[in-house]
Amino acid sequence: EPDFREESLRIEGGLSHILSDTLNGAAGLAYQDSDTRNGLGQRTLEHLFLPVSLTHDTRDDDLDAKRGFYADLDVTPFAGLDNGSAGARVYGDLRGYTSFGENERFTFAARGQLGVLSGATATQIPSEMLFFSGGAGTVRGQSYQSLGVPVTPTRQVGGRSFAALSAELRAAVADKWQVVGFADGGFVAASDDF
C-alpha cells in the first residue's frame, strides 16, 4: 500500500447465509499475525477477529444500477493477543439509485460511507484496519488511498474514523456510452470521535 507495508498470516473460517433474495449475512473467526510498518514505526501484532456482516441489496444491476438500494454493515470485534488491546472496527456503506426521463435515460446515484475504529490505538492494530480515503471507491479525483492522517510533512497513516459522501448523475448518450458528472467529499480523522 502507498503508506504502509504489512506482512501477515491469517487463518480464518466462517459461515455465510442467504437470508432472502435481497439479504445476506456472514460471520467468522480469524487469527492474524502481522508485521506492520508505517509512519508510526514497525511492530509485530497478534489478534483474534470476529468479523460479522449483513448486506441488503435491491439494485437491478450490480455494475450499472438504475434503481434500488444497497446497504452493507461490517462489524469486526477484535482482541490483541500480545498487547491486551481490544475494540471493534465498524464500517457501513449505503447507496441509492433512481432513474428518470425517456427510457430512463438519466440515473441519479448517491452514496454514504462511515467507518470507526474504537478501543485500540493506531499502534495496537494492523495498518490494514485503519481508514484511508481517495480513489474510485471513496473520493474520486484523488489518488488511491492518498488521504490519511499526517504524522510528518511527508508521511501519513490511516485514521480511526472515516466518512465519505458521493453523488453522481449519469446520462445515456448511446447504447453503450454514458456521460457522468459527480461530486465526492470525505475525511479521515485520527480519533474515533465525529
Side-chain angles (χ1 to χ4, degrees), residues 6 8 13 18 29 33 48 55 76 82 101 106 131 136 159 172:
E6 187 163 289
S8 61
I18 299 171
L29 179 64
D33 184 3
L48 276 180
T55 303
T76 305
D82 55 347
F106 299 98
F131 295 101

Side-chain angles (χ1 to χ4, degrees), residues 12-178:
E12 183 172 5
L15 298 171
S16 61
H17 186 64
I18 299 171
L19 302 165
S20 72
D21 289 343
T22 60
L23 190 63
N24 296 315
L29 179 64
Y31 164 81
Q32 182 169 320
D33 184 3
S34 307
D35 182 23
T36 186
R37 179 182 299 140
N38 63 14
L40 300 173
Q42 180 176 358
R43 54 214 173 273
T44 300
L45 304 166
E46 286 184 81
H47 285 88
L48 276 180
F49 298 107
L50 181 63
V52 178
S53 66
L54 191 63
T55 303
H56 181 66
D57 190 354
T58 64
R59 295 173 297 175
D60 60 334
D61 187 312
D62 290 353
L63 301 177
D64 187 23
K66 293 189 179 298
R67 69 189 69 77
F69 291 93
Y70 174 89
D72 180 55
L73 178 63
D74 298 318
V75 179
T76 305
F78 60 85
L81 301 178
D82 55 347
N83 58 21
S85 65
R89 184 182 194 271
V90 179
Y91 171 76
D93 185 354
L94 180 63
R95 307 174 202 176
Y97 306 86
T98 187
S99 293
F100 55 94
E102 186 178 334
N103 297 321
E104 297 187 329
R105 182 177 175 200
F106 299 98
T107 301
F108 176 75
R111 181 180 190 184
Q113 297 169 279
L114 188 66
V116 65
L117 181 66
S118 65
T121 66
T123 59
Q124 294 175 316
I125 56 166
S127 295
E128 67 172 324
M129 292 189 70
L130 296 170
F131 295 101
F132 286 90
S133 189
T138 56
V139 180
R140 295 168 284 189
Q142 298 292 323
S143 299
Y144 172 71
Q145 291 196 348
S146 63
L147 307 174
V149 176
V151 290
T152 71
T154 59
R155 303 284 310 262
Q156 67 177 0
V157 296
R160 295 182 64 219
S161 58
F162 155 78
L165 294 172
S166 301
E168 72 178 39
L169 181 63
R170 301 191 308 250
V173 294
D175 260 357
K176 297 188 181 203
W177 292 89
Q178 294 183 12

